[in-house]
Amino acid sequence: MSAPNKSYDPVEVEALKPEVVEQARDEALAAFAAAADLDELKQAKVAHTGDRSPLSLANREIGALPPQAKAAAGKLIGQARGAVNQALAARQVELEAERDARVLVEEAVDVTLPYGRVPRGARHPLTTLAERIEDTFVAMGYQVASGPEVEAEWLNFDALNLHADHPARSMQDTFFVEAPDGTADSGMVLRTQTSPVQIRAMLAGEPPLYAVSPGRVYRTDELDATHTPVFRQVEAIAVDEGITFGHLKGTIEVLVEKLIGGGLELRWRPSYFPFTEPSAEIDLQCFVCRGASVGNPDRPCRTCSSEGWIELGGCGVVNPRVLVAAGIDPSRYSGFAFGLGLERILMNRHNVADMRDMVEGDVRFTLPFGMEI
Ligand code: DAH
């Protein structure tokens, strides 16, 4: 732009003539008022306030005016631009409000309309129970471990001190998995117990080890009121320096208190498992009759069959041979382990009389257990 020109008079400059400026302003105001939506307003904004708009171009002329003329021209343009910007902002607010109101109407959802009532199903109480047990152990610092249901025979039996000719091996009627070529010996079985997870956990890391593992197990039983070929166990193992049977007892006491409630006696019956020494069966005092039904025909108890005790599962101090099989030094470490049957706990805790109810997957069985999470 040229230097100030003393003889340059704003009234002589077409773009700075008051009537021209007013006209530019009025055209801008009219364009904003006519904009029907935000897109049109945007176009009007570019046309009337952008770099190439009449008022911007007029503004540029001010620089070339003689100093005494600048103030008046600046005021003239400034006022016009002020009015234009104000009108633009006001219209913007108006059109945004219109758009919001329209969106609210267009996207409204009628929450009173009836919906397709698909029944919601329910979580299986065995799953909920397994999670409760996991939670109890996680609170005591255990990790949750898992293993496959099609398991290596070595892990399911041999590593647990159940050799091929061990009589205890036949205690658990096993589903053997055929090799792909049809020969019987694939070296794989459907796991008969969750105990192989102990071995997996020990092989996976160094002691100290505290692991809990609920899962499905398989045995060749017919399905009837008290048997099922697929059932669930929860296994736990602790291996550390100085672990004793006392730690095992304390741990089971905590579990029972969390699952069933306090004040119940536990009975530790000597037993035999190849993978623990010493071994025991754990019995829980019947929480329904608390022993009052024993020898008392007037007060029979369905929960414990008037025995006074409910069998929970097996346990013991981990056999050093098992530690060796898992690469752990038995002169430094010892451990305890136990395995409990989940169906049995559920049957007792909720008076489920028939095993089949737990495996058939009928939602009428699972629904009354509610949505305990
Ligand atoms: N696996 C055993 C069974 O299925 C239960 C069991 C007993 C697990 C003693 C253990 C244990 O970890 O120490 O009969």
Side-chain angles (χ1 to χ4, degrees), residues 112-156:
T112 64
L113 283 176
Y115 61 95
R117 287 175 202 267
V118 178
R120 286 182 66 202
R123 302 192 75 207
H124 200 283
L126 284 171
T127 310
T128 323
L129 178 63
E131 282 175 9
R132 267 183 155 230
I133 295 175
E134 276 177 13
D135 287 350
T136 306
F137 278 90
V138 167
M140 290 193 276
Y142 281 60
Q143 66 187 82
V144 177
S146 64
E149 292 171 21
V150 178
E151 182 58 285
E153 223 174 317
W154 186 81
L155 289 165
N156 192 75

Side-chain angles (χ1 to χ4, degrees), residues 221-338:
D221 286 323
E222 292 292 329
L223 180 64
D224 63 27
T226 52
H227 294 89
T228 157
V230 188
F231 56 102
R232 290 173 200 233
Q233 293 185 332
V234 61
E235 192 82 16
I237 183 158
V239 181
D240 205 339
E241 288 180 13
I243 291 280
T244 67
F245 203 92
H247 296 117
L248 167 63
K249 290 178 85 169
T251 307
I252 297 281
E253 277 165 19
V254 169
L255 177 65
V256 165
E257 186 169 337
K258 291 274 177 228
L259 278 188
I260 298 175
L264 291 165
E265 262 182 64
L266 286 165
R267 185 171 75 175
W268 303 81
R269 249 182 318 120
S271 183
Y272 171 75
F273 297 100
F275 31 93
T276 43
E277 181 58 37
S279 306
E281 297 273 356
I282 313 161
D283 293 338
L284 172 67
Q285 187 183 35
C286 176
F287 49 86
V288 175
C289 72
R290 293 187 179 245
S293 66
V294 183
N296 186 355
D298 298 336
R299 198 182 180 289
C301 179
R302 275 199 302 159
T303 302
C304 64
S305 312
S306 303
E307 303 260 329
W309 297 96
I310 293 162
E311 213 180 291
L312 286 185
C315 65
V317 173
V318 179
N319 191 320
R321 297 175 66 119
V322 172
L323 294 179
V324 170
I328 291 173
D329 177 4
S331 67
R332 178 164 176 205
Y333 293 107
S334 56
F336 70 71
F338 63 83

